[in-house]
Amino acid sequence: MSSVRRGLIFSSFERYSVLLLGMSTTIVTARLLTPADFGIAVIGLAIFGLIDIFRDFGSGTYIIQVDDPTPERVQSVFTVTLMLALPLFLLTYFFAGTIAKFYGLPGLESYLHVTAFCLLTSSFCSPAYALLNRNLQFDKLTILSLTTSSLNAVVTILLALAGFSYMSYAWAQLVSTVIYFGLCLMWGPKFPIYRFSLSEWRPVVRYGVYDSARALLLHLGDAAPFLAFGKTLGAASLGIYQRALSISRLADKTLLSGFAPVLQPAFSKHSREGRDLGKSFLLGIEHVTVLLWPALVGVVLLAHPLVMILLGAQWSSTVPIIQVLAMSSMICFPLSLCRPALIAAGGVRETAILAILTVPVVVAVQIAASFWGLMAVAWSFVLTNMYTVAVSLHFVSKHISLPQNDVLRALKKSFIVTLVSAVPLILAAIIADGAEQMPVAIGVGAGILSAISWFFAIHLTGHPIKNEIDRLLDAAAAVLFSPATVQNLKAVRLAVVSRTSVRKE
């Protein structure tokens, strides 16, 4: 099994497990926190994420992509990030009251006081985590992520049940970050990371300027609307919007999150080996769309059952917002591939330029739309997503050959699979007299039938992802069954495939 495929398995397992933990946290906290209380946590998380980008300064990506991560380079990365973290910690802690007054939310000050300490701890985590990522040690990364995520979920839920409200998120983040550092320290490289050195500060800073600028602008694309809506719409509306956005992105989180940590190392590895990145990009599009598109159609048509299961009746106003956001996300299928492909092709500067050209436009349109309400914000995603995808593909095509006919050919089978898997969902919406009020029982049944339809459709179309699924099934069977049973299962599968092929002919 290749290191990339092995990494994908570990990464997928880790991301899906983390997702389940996050969903469990959401199910509990959505019934304990009001939209206004949750809105305070959203603003706090957005502010912390913004500041943490300056602290990280592209250090992780630099270590992953550099030809030789020598001790001097890694130590220089640590020194630079710590020198940035110290003043950022002081600014966050002592200006927390001013920020809270700006939003008219006194509780935000305490939230920022607690999360400020995470900035210092994270500086010690980044180098070790990046080295594990570079070396494709996804088994250790999986254990690290699951341990800290489990702890975060447990602490959040327990504190929320104890009445800590929005502060449960802040304290859970601090506790999990400390444990995260302990694991990074245990699994770090043999040479000492935590030594002050500036011998390689120039390439670190040079790379960090571009990568952090890109990361800052991309984070602003998510965080700036939260920060603005907290002022223009209020904490309660912000809480509703964030919940709707989270549900609309379930497809991305459940099906594509396993790809994300593997893409950058995989593209970089293919580039170092001299492989055709264009073929890798098109294969990535085939795999992304066959997972993303059917799932997004499911989110659109099953939005009401999803909200009832995950959030509860008090969040029913999120349903129409979720549907529009999920529809607009179908346009974004190549975005998860563009950045790692550009970096692997030597276009790190273009990633910063790309962010400069897209993020301000996206943020401006969404903030302007907020003056007409949350539905206007949701519909604005259609325009901004189309613009972002067009600009992103333009930059990728400058480094990687992507003929239009090849792209359309890569989308063909995924489109057919999406149509087939959507049939049970459409029938369920008709039976329920509309998707907006679909009962949970009907929604669950339709979702199961849609998944079965998807499985048969990928075999009928001969979609490339079928090979990956077969490998996963073989690996699972080897663990669960005896060799003789495995051979019998393979024979049955080959017989089914053979009959299907005859029928198609």
Side-chain angles (χ1 to χ4, degrees), residues 281 334-335 338 342 350 353-354 357-358 386-402:
F281 193 91
L335 293 185
C338 289
L342 276 174
E350 279 82 351
I353 297 172
L354 174 61
L357 292 177
T358 55
M386 292 175 63
Y387 170 73
T388 302
V389 168
V391 177
S392 299
L393 289 178
H394 169 73
F395 277 93
V396 171
S397 63
K398 292 170 63 176
H399 292 269
I400 299 173
S401 177
L402 293 174

Side-chain angles (χ1 to χ4, degrees), residues 332-347:
C332 300
F333 64 89
L335 293 185
S336 61
L337 303 167
C338 289
R339 176 178 171 266
L342 276 174
I343 292 176

Side-chain angles (χ1 to χ4, degrees), residues 114-356:
V114 173
T115 55
F117 287 94
C118 297
L119 294 169
L120 296 177
T121 311
S122 297
S123 299
F124 292 84
C125 301
S126 298
Y129 177 83
L131 286 170
L132 290 172
N133 217 324
R134 176 190 173 88
N135 297 327
L136 302 178
Q137 293 180 280
F138 292 103
D139 49 349
K140 293 181 179 179
L141 290 171
T142 298
I143 297 173
L144 190 154
S145 178
L146 288 181
T147 301
T148 54
S149 297
S150 300
L151 184 62
N152 187 293
V154 170
V155 174
T156 301
I157 291 173
L158 290 177
L159 292 179
L161 290 170
F164 278 72
S165 188
Y166 52 86
M167 287 302 297
S168 59
Y169 287 94
W171 285 112
Q173 183 180 355
L174 179 59
V175 171
S176 60
T177 303
V178 172
I179 300 301
Y180 191 89
F181 165 63
L183 293 174
C184 286
L185 187 64
M186 181 174 65
W187 285 328
K190 295 180 180 179
F191 62 84
I193 296 177
Y194 308 113
R195 287 184 179 177
F196 293 108
S197 173
L198 291 173
S199 61
E200 296 287 334
W201 72 270
R202 286 184 176 85
V204 173
V205 171
R206 190 181 305 117
Y207 185 91
V209 167
Y210 289 107
D211 193 72
S212 58
R214 173 205 57 79
L216 175 64
L217 286 170
L218 290 179
H219 182 75
L220 280 174
D222 287 329
F226 290 156
L227 299 174
F229 298 166
K231 190 70 176 177
T232 60
L233 297 172
S237 293
L238 174 60
I240 292 172
Y241 170 75
Q242 201 283 334
R243 291 295 193 196
L245 189 64
S246 297
I247 300 298
S248 72
R249 291 179 175 175
L250 271 179
D252 178 76
K253 291 179 179 178
T254 54
L255 300 173
L256 300 186
S257 60
F259 284 86
V262 180
L263 286 175
Q264 186 63 72
F267 272 112
S268 297
K269 184 173 183 288
H270 289 179
S271 179
R272 290 194 296 268
E273 294 173 350
R275 299 192 198 180
D276 185 352
L277 292 181
K279 291 182 179 179
S280 300
F281 193 91
L282 291 173
L283 183 62
I285 284 180
E286 287 188 283
H287 284 71
V288 167
T289 51
V290 77
L291 295 170
L292 185 65
W293 284 353
L296 285 172
V297 171
V299 172
V300 171
L301 295 175
L302 301 179
H304 186 264
L306 285 171
V307 169
M308 294 300 105
I309 293 171
L310 297 176
L311 304 179
Q314 68 167 326
W315 299 90
S316 59
S317 58
T318 61
V319 171
I321 302 171
I322 291 169
Q323 292 174 320
V324 176
L325 291 174
M327 284 190 292
S328 70
S329 295
M330 296 186 71
I331 305 167
C332 300
F333 64 89
L335 293 185
S336 61
L337 303 167
C338 289
R339 176 178 171 266
L342 276 174
I343 292 176
V348 65
R349 294 188 179 185
E350 279 82 351
T351 63
I353 297 172
L354 174 61
I356 292 172

Side-chain angles (χ1 to χ4, degrees), residues 3 27 32 39 86 196 210 230 235 261 305 324 360 488:
S3 58
I27 290 172
L32 296 174
L86 287 170
F196 293 108
Y210 289 107
V324 176
N488 291 334

